[in-house]
Amino acid sequence: MADLAKVSEATVSRVLNNVGPIKEETRQRVIDAANELNYAPSALARNFATSKSGNIGVILPYLPKVNMFSTYFFSEILSGIGSMSREFGYDLLLLFRPMDDVLNYYSQLFHTHKVDALIVLGSKEDPIELEALRRLKEEGRHFCLINQHYDGEGFSEVDATHEKGSYEAVTHLIQQGYKEIAFINGPDEYSNSRERSAGYRRALHDHGLEVNQSLLFTGNFGRKSGYAVASSVFARLNEVDAIFASNDRMAIGLHQGLRDLGIPWNQLPGMIGFDDSDIAELTTPTLSSVKVPFFQMGELAAENLLSRLRPSSLGMQDHFRIQLPTELMIRESSLRTDSKEE
Amino acid sequence: MADLAKVSEATVSRVLNNVGPIKEETRQRVIDAANELNYAPSALARNFATSKSGNIGVILPYLPKVNMFSTYFFSEILSGIGSMSREFGYDLLLLFRPMDDVLNYYSQLFHTHKVDALIVLGSKEDPIELEALRRLKEEGRHFCLINQHYDGEGFSEVDATHEKGSYEAVTHLIQQGYKEIAFINGPDEYSNSRERSAGYRRALHDHGLEVNQSLLFTGNFGRKSGYAVASSVFARLNEVDAIFASNDRMAIGLHQGLRDLGIPWNQLPGMIGFDDSDIAELTTPTLSSVKVPFFQMGELAAENLLSRLRPSSLGMQDHFRIQLPTELMIRESSLRTDSKEE
DNA sequence: CCGTTTTATGTACGCGCGTACATTTTCTCA
DNA sequence: TGAGAAAATGTACGCGCGTACATAAAACGG
């Protein structure tokens, strides 16, 4: 390669990296030679020399449980991350949270140079998880969380306005005339569950309604957990006239459960889900939902992390906290009359 | 590290890689030292030294079009690949097919040692794509295709019995008494589209029915393309009594389109989708579909590739072609009476 | 107890780049 | 035209492992 262009390896390196002054003729000779030989520098050697992997890691909850979340959530975020990473010339390393040893795992991803930055999805409050994240921060690593907030830790986070989204959803139900609104939430270990709960309570309170403890349910974001709640809701059907679910999958599970218990589709309680996943408009009636800009959240997470990896980023605040707005998507399931009565 | 254990770097390396004879006491000393210092070898240096990246690459269609396929398809396959990769100690590098330059891209992934093996998803017949794959084969790379077959190329492939699945689905419709079965297929560039078409035709033929050209439609696997076909189907509603769709998303799009055109849900034509994605049981009526074991296909692809990377795999056939069975999942949408009449 | 294996460990080098520094070539302007 | 500065290129070394080969230590056999 160097020989063919009749220059030293160093010059080749300079041309390929666009660094230092190069005579135009030389540059061309090198490029021609590279094309002729179909030469491409070994990413491995290059990474080794610069001790940077060129990868951005994405942590996913450990496999069997991926489906606890909607795949929509992950697909969108991953697409967003992937889209931005590519613009920065980074590749995307998909990593699954190990069942044990999380503490070392995160840290070693950096130490072994598997990744230059890390995005953690599906993180939830847990002593070990927290400890592992703190360690990353101590070590000055570039990482960020999506859709999860740790209070007072100063982690970088990209989140959405879950409290507000929840407030708006419940308010909408109330305005539609619903008064007894059941709430099926996700586990409290997720900050967004707690925020949605707060929004739910605030909306009830602002409209002079009381929280009815017996109408509060907890699922695990999976469809089945929504389905499982159906019987409890069914038993209280005299006192429940609407349901707010913490994500679409649970809403749909609940919907199915109620249908299976014999409720005709046009006599279902009012329903609103969360996430505005693609399935929201596939149900009958179509499901109102709170839209969360997952794709964009993925993009922003990647963009902020990667731009801080650039040499030119000196002086840039090394820590960021972004909160994107949610949006209430009103469809048939939450409307009192109209299409639901078809 | 080496100092703390009072051994040479070489011995450390041997202990950590479990190679060569080591005195038990020495091993322990090294391990203790490693724990104490929280030492982990640099993956980068190690990979460089062995010139293996430790990554298995997965090519996805370029981003904006990911949603052309159901995300279900990708989620399942990726999960399968990820699950198996982890067992082999490989990491999963997510790669997006570039719009240009595919030809060099694939090849250079290996040349630059970004990946040790490659799985291509969403591949479709195309001169450049084919050329790029041929080059990989020439270069002796370890790669495989999922859900796509190239005739006579001898590529490694993990596929499903699309023809048979299709045949069974259409046969089922016929047995339910449907006689005029429209077919909305995916683009012909995908081998599985061609196979499904063959199955459709064979089923009609075997039951003495004719193919009605005006009932054949082509979508792009997206929901919207199914929706777009609705009006054509609607116009022929007198001659159509069932629809077989090449995937669930199109089936559901079509379903929605017909609903929007005013057809009550219990007077829809019989319908069967393909893939058996999670949304199939969320519709009203629930959608019959042909189940494809995507997760397992991902597992098998990874397993076969990675096991061939091991030193012990000498003599193993370097090329494999696997075809997994599909399964007809009968739900409400294809049944003539019963639950559909609720 | 010594020679001979066998086992255990150390030494030295290469993997293929990037880059600081040394050197050569070209340019500038007196 | 020649000296000094600027531009262009070459030289040499390190990044942190794995591993072939050299060497030392232990085991064995007579």
Side-chain angles (χ1 to χ4, degrees):
Chain A
M1 168 63 199
D3 317 353
L4 199 154
K6 285 179 289 191
V7 294
S8 70
E9 278 295 347
T11 301
V12 174
S13 174
R14 279 187 277 255
V15 170
L16 266 45
N17 292 327
N18 238 329
V19 63
I22 300 280
K23 199 192 285 179
E24 189 47 38
E25 180 221 324
T26 311
R27 157 179 278 109
Q28 203 51 56
R29 222 170 47 229
V30 171
I31 291 179
D32 290 348
N35 285 336
E36 181 165 342
L37 300 182
N38 213 308
Y39 169 87
S42 158
L44 221 44
R46 161 179 282 169
N47 293 341
F48 178 58
T50 58
S51 47
K52 302 200 308 176
S53 68
N55 295 147
I56 181 169
V58 178
I59 301 278
L60 300 179
Y62 95 102
L63 270 173
K65 285 200 179 160
V66 161
N67 284 319
M68 264 188 48
F69 295 77
S70 75
T71 59
Y72 176 79
F73 173 88
F74 291 105
S75 298
E76 287 294 307
I77 293 184
L78 273 180
S79 298
I81 295 171
S83 156
M84 192 55 72
S85 302
R86 145 171 297 206
E87 283 184 29
F88 278 79
Y90 277 76
D91 284 306
L92 205 166
L93 201 61
L94 222 53
L95 302 160
F96 300 95
R97 176 183 285 110
M99 30 274 109
D100 47 6
D101 198 34
V102 173
L103 204 146
N104 289 318
Y105 185 67
Y106 289 180
S107 173
Q108 291 195 350
L109 284 172
F110 287 94
H111 185 214
T112 66
H113 295 287
K114 283 301 272 188
V115 305
D116 299 334
L118 194 63
I119 296 177
V120 182
L121 303 189
S123 181
K124 61 179 176 181
E125 198 108 18
D126 166 285
I128 305 219
E129 172 86 2
L130 188 53
E131 174 80 12
L133 295 174
R134 279 185 181 143
R135 183 146 132 209
L136 287 187
K137 188 172 169 66
E138 268 171 35
E139 294 171 348
R141 306 305 192 184
H142 291 264
F143 71 101
C144 107
L145 302 160
I146 292 189
N147 219 33
Q148 171 73 8
H149 169 64
Y150 288 95
D151 230 28
E153 298 288 346
F155 298 151
S156 289
E157 295 164 351
V158 176
D159 208 343
T161 57
H162 299 286
E163 199 273 347
K164 182 156 168 289
S166 187
Y167 180 86
E168 290 172 359
V170 175
T171 297
H172 164 67
L173 286 174
I174 295 170
Q175 287 170 346
Q176 285 291 310
Y178 296 108
K179 291 206 173 339
E180 296 292 339
I181 302 169
F183 179 35
I184 172 167
N185 199 5
D188 250 11
E189 288 84 39
Y190 299 98
S191 63
N192 56 68
S193 292
R194 299 192 297 272
E195 291 163 20
R196 288 197 268 247
S197 176
Y200 168 80
R201 287 160 193 277
R202 183 162 68 91
L204 291 188
H205 179 265
D206 282 4
H207 296 85
L209 298 175
E210 297 288 322
V211 173
N212 181 342
Q213 293 294 334
S214 68
L215 297 186
L216 301 182
F217 303 96
T218 301
N220 68 355
F221 290 130
R223 184 170 57 86
K224 288 184 180 165
S225 69
Y227 191 93
V229 166
S231 57
S232 305
V233 171
F234 187 76
R236 290 190 179 72
L237 217 50
N238 54 327
E239 43 176 330
V240 172
D241 56 5
I243 299 163
F244 173 47
S246 203
N247 78 346
D248 289 348
R249 292 181 80 82
M250 292 196 297
I252 285 170
L254 187 43
H255 171 117
Q256 288 184 305
L258 293 174
R259 294 294 303 277
D260 287 355
L261 288 167
I263 306 183
W265 70 276
N266 53 3
Q267 287 174 37
L268 285 169
M271 292 189 68
I272 297 192
F274 216 105
D275 288 355
D276 191 39
S277 56
D278 45 6
I279 50 177
E281 37 189 356
L282 303 184
T283 54
T284 309
T286 54
L287 180 67
S288 297
S289 191
V290 179
K291 180 174 194 164
V292 184
F294 292 122
F295 184 90
Q296 204 189 342
M297 288 165 73
E299 280 188 320
L300 281 174
E303 180 177 14
N304 277 281
L305 283 177
L306 297 180
S307 63
R308 281 169 175 75
L309 290 182
R310 292 190 295 207
S312 59
S313 74
L314 296 177
M316 189 182 288
Q317 172 108 25
D318 67 336
H319 149 275
F320 56 95
R321 173 146 161 68
I322 297 170
Q323 213 173 18
L324 295 182
T326 53
E327 182 189 357
L328 179 60
M329 307 297 288
I330 299 176
R331 299 202 181 82
E332 297 163 359
S333 68
S334 65
L335 297 178
R336 200 74 203 221
T337 50
D338 292 20
S339 42
K340 251 184 81 180
E341 311 294 336
E342 184 170 296
Chain B
M1 169 63 200
D3 318 353
L4 198 154
K6 284 178 292 191
V7 296
S8 70
E9 278 295 348
T11 302
V12 173
S13 175
R14 279 188 276 255
V15 169
L16 266 45
N17 292 328
N18 238 329
V19 63
I22 300 280
K23 201 192 285 178
E24 188 49 36
E25 179 220 325
T26 311
R27 158 179 277 110
Q28 202 53 54
R29 224 171 45 230
V30 172
I31 291 179
D32 290 347
N35 285 335
E36 181 166 344
L37 301 182
N38 214 309
Y39 168 88
S42 157
L44 221 43
R46 160 179 282 167
N47 293 339
F48 177 59
T50 57
S51 47
K52 303 201 305 178
S53 68
N55 294 148
I56 179 169
V58 178
I59 301 279
L60 300 179
Y62 95 103
L63 270 174
K65 286 201 178 158
V66 160
N67 285 319
M68 266 188 45
F69 294 78
S70 77
T71 59
Y72 177 80
F73 173 87
F74 291 105
S75 297
E76 287 293 308
I77 293 184
L78 271 180
S79 297
I81 295 172
S83 156
M84 193 55 73
S85 302
R86 147 170 297 205
E87 284 184 31
F88 278 79
Y90 277 76
D91 284 306
L92 204 165
L93 202 61
L94 223 52
L95 302 159
F96 300 95
R97 175 183 286 110
M99 33 273 106
D100 47 4
D101 197 34
V102 175
L103 205 146
N104 289 318
Y105 185 67
Y106 289 179
S107 174
Q108 290 194 350
L109 285 172
F110 286 95
H111 184 212
T112 67
H113 294 288
K114 283 299 276 187
V115 305
D116 299 334
L118 195 63
I119 295 177
V120 182
L121 303 190
S123 181
K124 61 179 177 182
E125 198 108 17
D126 165 286
I128 305 219
E129 171 86 3
L130 189 52
E131 175 80 12
L133 295 174
R134 279 185 182 144
R135 182 144 132 212
L136 287 187
K137 188 172 166 69
E138 267 170 34
E139 293 172 347
R141 306 304 190 183
H142 291 264
F143 71 101
C144 105
L145 303 160
I146 292 189
N147 220 32
Q148 171 73 7
H149 169 64
Y150 288 95
D151 229 29
E153 298 288 346
F155 298 150
S156 289
E157 295 163 350
V158 176
D159 208 343
T161 58
H162 298 285
E163 199 273 346
K164 182 157 169 285
S166 187
Y167 179 86
E168 289 172 358
V170 175
T171 297
H172 164 67
L173 285 173
I174 295 171
Q175 286 169 346
Q176 285 291 311
Y178 295 109
K179 292 208 173 338
E180 296 291 339
I181 302 169
F183 179 37
I184 172 168
N185 199 6
D188 251 11
E189 288 85 37
Y190 299 98
S191 64
N192 56 68
S193 292
R194 300 193 296 271
E195 290 164 20
R196 289 198 269 246
S197 176
Y200 169 81
R201 288 160 193 279
R202 183 162 68 91
L204 290 188
H205 179 264
D206 282 5
H207 296 85
L209 299 174
E210 296 289 322
V211 173
N212 181 342
Q213 294 292 335
S214 69
L215 297 186
L216 301 182
F217 304 95
T218 300
N220 69 354
F221 289 131
R223 184 169 58 85
K224 289 183 180 166
S225 69
Y227 192 95
V229 166
S231 58
S232 306
V233 171
F234 188 75
R236 291 190 179 73
L237 217 49
N238 56 326
E239 43 175 330
V240 172
D241 57 5
I243 299 162
F244 174 49
S246 205
N247 78 345
D248 290 347
R249 292 181 80 81
M250 292 196 297
I252 285 170
L254 186 44
H255 171 117
Q256 289 184 305
L258 293 175
R259 294 294 301 278
D260 287 355
L261 288 166
I263 304 183
W265 69 277
N266 53 5
Q267 287 174 37
L268 287 168
M271 293 188 68
I272 297 192
F274 216 107
D275 288 355
D276 191 39
S277 56
D278 44 6
I279 51 177
E281 36 188 358
L282 302 184
T283 54
T284 309
T286 53
L287 179 66
S288 297
S289 191
V290 180
K291 180 174 194 164
V292 184
F294 292 122
F295 184 90
Q296 204 188 342
M297 287 165 74
E299 280 188 319
L300 281 173
E303 179 177 13
N304 276 282
L305 283 177
L306 296 180
S307 63
R308 283 170 175 74
L309 291 181
R310 291 190 297 207
S312 59
S313 74
L314 297 176
M316 190 181 288
Q317 172 109 25
D318 66 337
H319 148 277
F320 56 93
R321 173 146 161 69
I322 297 170
Q323 214 174 16
L324 296 183
T326 53
E327 181 188 356
L328 179 60
M329 307 297 288
I330 299 175
R331 299 203 180 81
E332 297 164 1
S333 68
S334 64
L335 295 179
R336 201 76 204 220
T337 50
D338 291 24
S339 43
K340 250 184 80 180
E341 312 295 336
E342 185 170 298

